[in-house]
Amino acid sequence: MASYATQSQVLSLLTSRWGELGKLVQTSDLVASDRAMTAANCGKGWDLRERTPSPALAPLFISELKTVQGLVISPDGTSVYVAAGHTGHGAVLSFARDTKSGDVRLTDVLRDGDAGVGPMGDPQDIVISPDGRRVIVCSQADNNVLVFERNRETGILCLQGRLRGCQGGDITLDEPFALTLSQDGSILLVAVAEFLDVNILGFRRNTETGVFEFFQSFSHELKKAPGLGLPQKMAFSPDGRFIYVTGFQGTSLGVFELSGAGRFILSDLFTDGVNGVTGLRDISDIAVTPDGLSVLVACRGARGFCMFQRDPWRGRLKFMASHRVGKKPSDIVGNILLGQQGGLVFLPLDQDGAIAVWCRDLETGEMVFDGYIDGISQDYPGRKAVDGVAITPDGTTLIRVDGPRGELIVQNIGEACVHLAHRQPYETGDLLHSYFGIDG
């Protein structure tokens, strides 16, 4: 029987829109050095002239969001960063978020070729350090990884430096396309194409200074597992001693363990159809729960996800189950998002625009399906695509990008999201509040 949430149980859809993005006017020259930008220059290079927003339910429209490649939220929930672009073009958009109201506003845009930014074409991925001090972007077209220093008061980014070129021998940082940071921020993994010879490069990071030092090429270890020949997704264990890697459209999950010599070696491999593993097909994402008890793998081919039980001390995995997700046969799981310290698992569906919600027992790791959060407000029918999605650290808000429409959408789900019923809109002054429903 459906039950309905009260107004206190769920926040309304809080979004805003510019009918036309104001012109970005350069007001001062930024320091062009790759290595340093003074604090005096930070945030003063651009004058963003905002136009009057239209009604609050209209999403935030920015043309560059049509080519979004990645989206991250700062650990304190006050900043949202979007990497967007394609070959010969790139940008990082900065948004400020009010943690009380949920309002999001555009504050800065750093573009490929700007003074103080330099080459940043086709940014494929973006990550933020756990301390919120660094934002890292990989530029596939320009063969470099850019490291931005983040002002934790304003959220403004300033280029600190970049990783590029030869890392020793014949190892080069060519065409980087994926980034992963360990949970303490001390290790950065960069997936690179290297003229179709796909590899993972490991860098140790000084968490105080932000300086990186190359320490490992994973090429030799990856060749031990044919299913990982094209590595795509990477995830660290909470203690940083294990890395879990999947291949592009692959059917294998590799486990890499930190050896006594300080290098990661392949220690285990799981493959669809082998030793009872099922549903591990066309992998699209991977996540390790904060408690280290579970590894979840999203699989487009199986239209669902696989769940592995993890020994938090030895890092060993045991396949538990494969779960089908979706209201229609065409629904495909693209990402895995974790909320409430891993107690809630959100699975955005690429085709439907809805999000499947699973509840996870924090003691046993067992998971139970709870329902679906509907797509977007009924006032905007036909919005299906999800090109980037992230959940705020407090677990109350989903921020997603609709690429074809160039819109940033803020969807406040509230802590009681698993208790919501079907959408029930009602009028309150000039704002239309909408509940985001869960079927079942």
Side-chain angles (χ1 to χ4, degrees):
M1 179 177 178
S3 61
Y4 295 95
T6 65
Q7 184 175 4
S8 62
Q9 287 177 305
V10 60
L11 302 175
S12 65
L13 177 65
L14 294 170
T15 54
S16 58
R17 177 193 181 106
W18 280 268
E20 177 185 355
L21 182 64
K23 183 180 180 182
L24 291 173
V25 182
Q26 190 169 359
T27 58
S28 65
D29 292 330
L30 299 182
V31 177
S33 168
D34 283 345
R35 291 294 177 185
M37 292 183 65
T38 64
N41 283 327
C42 290
K44 295 184 178 180
W46 300 100
D47 174 23
L48 180 63
R49 301 179 181 179
E50 301 177 357
R51 297 183 181 270
T52 303
S54 53
L57 272 182
L60 178 62
F61 172 80
I62 300 173
S63 61
E64 281 161 318
L65 292 177
K66 289 179 176 290
T67 56
V68 64
Q69 302 285 6
L71 183 155
V72 294
I73 302 174
S74 62
D76 60 7
T78 62
S79 301
V80 180
Y81 300 100
V82 177
H86 47 75
T87 304
H89 172 72
V92 174
L93 296 88
S94 302
F95 300 86
R97 174 176 174 267
D98 188 312
T99 56
K100 293 182 178 180
S101 69
D103 287 331
V104 173
R105 59 186 178 86
L106 180 66
T107 56
D108 199 11
V109 179
L110 301 176
R111 290 193 173 89
D112 173 33
D114 281 350
V117 176
M120 191 176 62
D122 194 12
Q124 285 289 305
D125 203 359
I126 182 170
V127 295
I128 188 167
S129 60
D131 59 10
R133 296 172 58 187
R134 303 288 188 276
V135 172
I136 305 170
V137 179
C138 63
S139 167
Q140 186 173 36
D142 292 305
N143 301 322
N144 67 100
V145 174
L146 298 89
V147 182
F148 293 93
E149 184 175 4
R150 173 178 177 264
N151 185 312
R152 285 184 285 186
E153 296 295 327
T154 65
I156 293 297
L157 303 181
C158 296
L159 184 68
Q160 181 189 36
R162 64 181 76 236
L163 304 173
R164 58 186 172 187
C166 180
Q167 303 300 318
D170 59 352
I171 301 170
T172 58
L173 205 156
D174 287 336
E175 300 185 40
F177 62 88
L179 303 170
T180 299
L181 269 174
S182 59
Q183 294 191 23
D184 64 359
S186 65
I187 299 178
L188 173 70
L189 300 180
V190 183
V192 296
E194 290 188 348
F195 301 105
L196 300 181
D197 184 13
V198 180
N199 192 8
I200 296 175
L201 306 182
F203 295 85
R204 298 197 187 280
R205 172 179 173 265
N206 185 311
T207 55
E208 293 298 323
T209 65
V211 174
F212 291 84
E213 180 183 5
F214 173 73
F215 76 94
Q216 181 176 355
S217 164
F218 284 69
S219 178
H220 178 71
E221 297 299 320
L222 291 170
K223 289 177 180 177
K224 295 179 182 179
L228 302 179
L230 295 174
Q232 182 187 31
K233 295 293 183 178
M234 307 161 287
F236 278 92
S237 63
D239 59 11
R241 295 189 302 115
F242 294 86
I243 301 172
Y244 303 94
V245 178
T246 66
F248 175 69
Q249 296 182 344
T251 59
S252 296
L253 168 64
V255 182
F256 294 79
E257 183 176 358
L258 184 63
S259 68
R263 296 172 63 85
F264 287 91
I265 59 174
L266 182 68
S267 61
D268 208 348
L269 183 69
F270 295 84
T271 302
D272 184 57
V274 178
N275 294 329
V277 177
T278 60
L280 203 62
R281 301 190 301 275
D282 193 0
I283 297 170
S284 57
D285 202 7
I286 182 172
V288 181
T289 56
D291 56 19
L293 295 178
S294 302
V295 173
L296 307 176
V297 184
C299 305
R300 294 177 184 270
R303 292 182 169 82
F305 70 97
C306 292
M307 181 175 68
F308 292 83
Q309 185 182 66
R310 179 179 179 274
D311 183 330
W313 303 109
R314 297 192 297 173
R316 298 290 184 261
L317 300 185
K318 177 183 178 181
F319 176 75
M320 299 301 293
S322 175
H323 297 287
R324 182 73 175 266
V325 176
K327 295 186 283 186
K328 302 189 299 292
S330 60
D331 286 341
I332 298 175
V333 177
N335 303 93
I336 296 178
L337 304 174
L338 302 177
Q340 304 299 321
Q341 297 299 310
L344 291 177
V345 179
F346 301 91
L347 301 160
L349 305 179
D350 283 356
Q351 302 300 316
D352 186 81
I355 297 176
V357 181
W358 288 66
C359 296
R360 177 177 168 274
D361 189 302
L362 294 179
E363 294 184 0
T364 66
E366 294 182 358
M367 296 179 61
V368 177
F369 174 66
D370 198 85
Y372 295 97
I373 299 177
D374 290 342
I376 306 300
S377 170
Q378 59 190 6
D379 288 356
Y380 297 90
R383 183 176 286 106
K384 301 297 184 184
V386 178
D387 293 281
V389 60
I391 188 169
T392 54
D394 61 8
T396 64
T397 305
L398 288 167
I399 298 179
R400 59 170 80 183
V401 174
D402 181 342
R405 294 175 182 264
E407 293 170 348
L408 182 76
I409 302 161
V410 181
Q411 191 170 2
N412 292 299
I413 54 178
E415 295 182 356
C417 67
V418 294
H419 302 299
L420 301 185
H422 293 278
R423 184 193 299 117
Q424 297 293 313
Y426 62 93
E427 295 285 350
T428 306
D430 295 329
L431 296 178
L432 175 66
H433 296 257
S434 297
Y435 293 135
F436 294 90
I438 289 183
D439 295 340

